[in-house]
């Protein structure tokens, strides 16, 4: 039986953290573009930044979730960068508590993602999980 990689819990946590953050950035950019809520300073440049940053975080998170080693290496600086950007959102919006809180939550989610990536390691496992002849199925795959 060929060996296969098994996703560590930390990898899944990091991927979910990145997907939440990237989805948030993409939705903010989309709302700003479509509705013109005018809550992002810088206008068009900020909207483009939200889209590019959101796609970058979502792409890295997807690569982490499908256990690509390159994505793991790229995700750490991307998550750190996202945490810094959202940290700047806190610093520049101290007069607006709701905006600063959103920045704090997003920065915290990215920090959790970085810690989860650094603390976890995917492992290779081999062999069947059920040894009976009629039900020799790898759990979670559906293949016999």
């Amino acid at each position: 039986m060929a060996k296969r990689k098994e996703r560590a819990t930390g990898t899944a946590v990091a991927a979910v953290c990145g997907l939440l953050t990237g989805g948030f950035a993409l939705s903010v950019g989309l709302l700003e573009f479509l509705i013109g809520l005018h809550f992002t300073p810088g206008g068009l440049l900020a909207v483009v930044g939200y889209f590019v940053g959101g796609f970058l975080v979502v792409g890295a998170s997807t690569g982490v979730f499908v256990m690509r080693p390159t994505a793991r290496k790229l995700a750490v600086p991307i998550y750190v960068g996202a945490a810094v950007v959202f940290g700047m959102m806190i610093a520049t919006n101290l007069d607006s508590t709701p905006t600063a809180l959103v920045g704090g939550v997003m920065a915290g989610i990215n920090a959790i993602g970085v810690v989860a990536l650094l603390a976890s390691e995917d492992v290779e496992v081999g062999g069947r999980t059920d040894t009976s002849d009629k039900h020799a199925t790898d759990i979670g795959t559906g293949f016999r």
Side-chain angles (χ1 to χ4, degrees):
M1 180 89 198
K3 288 189 174 189
R4 61 183 169 83
K5 284 187 107 176
E6 188 172 284
R7 187 179 304 109
T9 303
T11 301
V13 167
V16 168
C17 288
L19 290 171
L20 285 172
T21 306
F24 173 77
L26 286 171
S27 63
V28 166
L30 189 61
L31 287 172
E32 181 68 23
F33 177 73
L34 293 177
I35 301 172
L37 295 177
H38 305 294
F39 55 80
T40 57
L44 182 63
L45 185 62
V47 171
V48 170
Y50 273 112
F51 276 122
V52 170
F55 279 121
L56 189 64
V57 173
V58 166
S61 300
T62 303
V64 165
F65 190 74
V66 296
M67 298 179 292
R68 300 285 185 239
T70 306
R72 281 182 75 94
K73 292 175 186 170
L74 289 175
V76 172
I78 289 172
Y79 287 5
V80 168
V84 167
V85 167
F86 283 114
M88 289 171 39
M89 184 178 178
I90 297 168
T92 58
N93 290 295
L94 289 176
D95 57 334
S96 174
T97 304
T99 307
L101 281 174
V102 167
V105 168
M106 292 295 125
I109 287 173
N110 278 291
I112 290 169
V114 169
V115 170
L117 268 179
L118 295 176
S120 70
E121 191 63 41
D122 300 331
V123 296
E124 284 193 19
V125 294
R128 296 197 181 267
T129 55
D130 186 354
T131 57
S132 66
D133 291 337
K134 293 182 181 178
H135 303 286
T137 303
D138 283 337
I139 293 175
T141 63
F143 295 110
R144 292 185 185 265

